Amino acid sequence: MKNWAANLTYSSARIERPRNLAELAGIVAGEPRVRALGSRHSFCDVADTTGVHVQLDLLDDGRPALEVDPGTGVASVRAGLRYGDVVADLHAKGRAVAAMASLPHISVAGAVATGTHGSGDGTRSLAGDVVGVELMTAAGEVLTLRRGDADFPGSVVALGALGVVTRVELATVPTFDVRQDVFTGLPWDALFENLDAVMGSAYSVSVFTSWFEPDVRMVWCKSQASTGSSDAAGAAGGPAGGPAAELLTGLGAQPATGPMHPLPDVAAVACTEQGGVPGPWFERLPHFRLDFTPSLGEELQSEYLLPRTAGPDAVRAVRALGDRIGPLLLTSEIRTIAGDDLWLSTTPEDSLAFHFTWKQDWPAVRAVLPGLEAALLPLGARPHWGKLFTVPVADLPGLYPRFDDFAELATRLDPTGKFRGGYVGELLAGRASQ
C-alpha cells in the first residue's frame, strides 16, 4: 500500500477498517503495534507502522457524522472523514470553519495531527480550532480531552502517538461567502518591501512562485464577500477585487485574464472558482475541488514554518537559492497562519509558511533540502510534520519547548509504545518500551 503521491510504501502487515467502536477496541487492545491512517496525504513515514493500520472512513460510532451544538457552535466530527465530506453539511447548518487547507481531500484527524493549515493573517492552523479530541487509548478505552484540560494542548498535534482519534470537536463561526481573485506579475522588490501588506490584503492570501522567475508568478486573494459575524474577520472584496486589487495593482501586478492553476501550463479545471465570483467559504478557501485530483498527484512536498517576523529575511534567503531549487519545483507557495498554544504546533506564534511542491525525483530533492534548511532553520523554521525534510529527527525535540511534556503524556497513555511507528518511534525513542 502506498501513500497518495506514491512515493512511500507503508510497512504495515495489513489494514483494518472497523465499522464500530467495539471492532476498533478489539484491534487496538489486541495488537502490539497499531497506527491510524487517514487519507494517506503525508509524504513521509509519520503515520507508518510495522503492525496494523486502522482506517476510520467506515467507522460508525452511533452518532451523526456531524453534530453542531446550537449554543456554542462547536461541531463534533467523525475523525476519519475528509473535510470535503462534512463542510457542505456544516454550511447548511449555518456554520463554517475559519480556515481550510488547499485541498479538501484530507482527513480531519490526519490534518489536525500534523498541524496542516490554510492561509490568512487571522486564521490559525486546522488544529488551532480544535476544542476537543476523543481518542481510543492503548487499552482500548475511549478518552475525551477538551480545551481547559491540562493535557489538551498535547493531544491535538499529536502525530498519532497518543491513540486512535475517533472524533474531533471544532470551533466554528457563522457561515460566510468568499470571492477569489488572482493577480500575476508582482515584482520581487514589491514583495520584499511590502510582504506584510500583500499577505494581509485579503482574508486568505497565497503567493505562488518557482523562486527563479523574474517576477512573482501569482498571488491568490480570497476575500470575504459577506459575513454575519465579526469573529470571521477578513477584507471584503468589492466589484474590482477590493483592497487586494488596489494594493497589488498599485505595486505593479495585473489581474489574471482567466482561471489559473498553481502549476504552470496546467488547466484550471480542478481549481475552485476564481474571477471574483462569490461563493460559499468551502467552495473558495481550498485551492482545489473535491471531485478532482488536486495538483498532479505524483509529486513530493516539503514545508517550513517560521515566525512572521523572519518573513522578509526568509523570502530573500529562498529567492537567493532560486537557481538551485527552481528547476526541481512544480510550484512553491507562501502562506500566513496565526499562532496557537499547542505543544507540537509548528505555528506557536504568528507564522509564515514556505511550501514546496517538487517533481518526483527524491534523490535530486534530497540533495537540495540541506541548503534550503541551512537558510531557514537559523531563522526559526520548523519542518511540517507530514512532509519531506532532512533535519535529523533527533534535532526536532529541541524546536519545541514543551516536547518533554508531550513525551511524558505519550508514555503515560501508551506505555508500551503501541502507537509508535515510522519516525515517530525515533522521535520518542527511549521514552517507552520499544
Side-chain angles (χ1 to χ4, degrees), residues 71 73 78 83 94 98 111-112 128 142 171 203 243 256 290 295 308 328 340 350 352 396 421-422 434:
R78 287 183 189 164
Y83 272 88
V112 165
V142 174
Y203 181 86
L290 182 64
S295 199
R308 184 70 180 266
L328 292 173
D340 59 62
D350 292 349
L352 199 69
L396 295 180
Q434 299 295 307

Side-chain angles (χ1 to χ4, degrees), residues 126-197:
L126 305 185
D129 284 337
V130 174
V131 297
V133 176
E134 178 187 282
L135 57 87
M136 186 162 288
T137 67
E141 300 170 346
V142 174
L143 172 67
T144 300
L145 294 166
R146 292 194 171 91
R147 181 164 289 282
D149 295 338
D151 292 333
F152 174 80
S155 69
V156 185
V157 182
L159 312 181
L162 307 185
V164 178
V165 175
T166 53
R167 216 162 174 97
V168 176
E169 296 175 358
L170 304 170
T172 68
V173 298
T175 192
F176 57 100
D177 284 349
V178 174
R179 58 174 293 162
Q180 184 168 215
D181 297 274
V182 177
F183 302 85
T184 63
L186 179 69
W188 277 106
D189 285 345
L191 183 64
F192 293 152
E193 296 166 10
N194 301 276
L195 179 63
D196 282 346

Side-chain angles (χ1 to χ4, degrees), residues 21-230:
L21 291 175
E23 287 185 14
L24 176 61
I27 297 166
V28 169
E31 296 289 339
R33 292 286 183 269
V34 181
R35 293 283 281 169
L37 190 65
S39 51
R40 293 181 284 163
H41 192 252
S42 290
F43 292 81
C44 62
D45 64 351
V46 64
D48 204 10
T49 181
T50 55
V52 175
H53 268 127
V54 290
Q55 190 167 327
L56 304 187
D57 55 327
L58 301 181
L59 184 72
D60 183 348
D61 60 5
R63 292 167 283 176
L66 170 71
E67 295 180 293
V68 177
D69 185 310
T72 64
V74 170
S76 176
V77 181
R78 287 183 189 164
L81 297 178
R82 302 176 301 173
Y83 272 88
D85 296 327
V86 299
V87 289
D89 191 15
L90 184 61
H91 171 69
K93 296 178 185 297
R95 307 299 295 180
V97 289
M100 289 191 69
S102 60
L103 49 121
H105 308 66
I106 54 178
S107 69
V108 175
V112 165
T114 54
T116 296
H117 58 88
S119 186
D121 281 7
T123 57
R124 294 170 295 188
S125 73
L126 305 185
D129 284 337
V130 174
V131 297
V133 176
E134 178 187 282
L135 57 87
M136 186 162 288
T137 67
E141 300 170 346
V142 174
L143 172 67
T144 300
L145 294 166
R146 292 194 171 91
R147 181 164 289 282
D149 295 338
D151 292 333
F152 174 80
S155 69
V156 185
V157 182
L159 312 181
L162 307 185
V164 178
V165 175
T166 53
R167 216 162 174 97
V168 176
E169 296 175 358
L170 304 170
T172 68
V173 298
T175 192
F176 57 100
D177 284 349
V178 174
R179 58 174 293 162
Q180 184 168 215
D181 297 274
V182 177
F183 302 85
T184 63
L186 179 69
W188 277 106
D189 285 345
L191 183 64
F192 293 152
E193 296 166 10
N194 301 276
L195 179 63
D196 282 346
V198 170
M199 301 309 298
S201 63
Y203 181 86
S204 172
V205 174
S206 293
V207 172
F208 289 99
T209 177
S210 286
W211 295 103
F212 71 137
E213 299 162 316
D215 296 310
V216 176
R217 184 188 299 163
M218 287 180 286
V219 182
W220 287 30
C221 298
K222 303 169 191 279
S223 304
Q224 246 182 279
S226 67
T227 180
S229 170
S230 61

Side-chain angles (χ1 to χ4, degrees), residues 345-370:
S345 172
T346 52
T347 55
E349 57 193 324
D350 292 349
S351 300
L352 199 69
F354 291 77
H355 175 91
F356 303 89
T357 300
W358 307 101
K359 298 174 182 177
Q360 200 170 71
D361 184 349
W362 176 232
V365 172
R366 183 172 51 194
V368 301
L369 284 181

Side-chain angles (χ1 to χ4, degrees), residues 8-34:
L8 173 70
T9 299
Y10 291 105
S11 306
S12 54
R14 69 181 192 278
I15 183 169
E16 297 281 359
R17 300 171 77 188
R19 293 181 175 273
N20 54 57
L21 291 175
E23 287 185 14
L24 176 61
I27 297 166
V28 169
E31 296 289 339
R33 292 286 183 269
V34 181

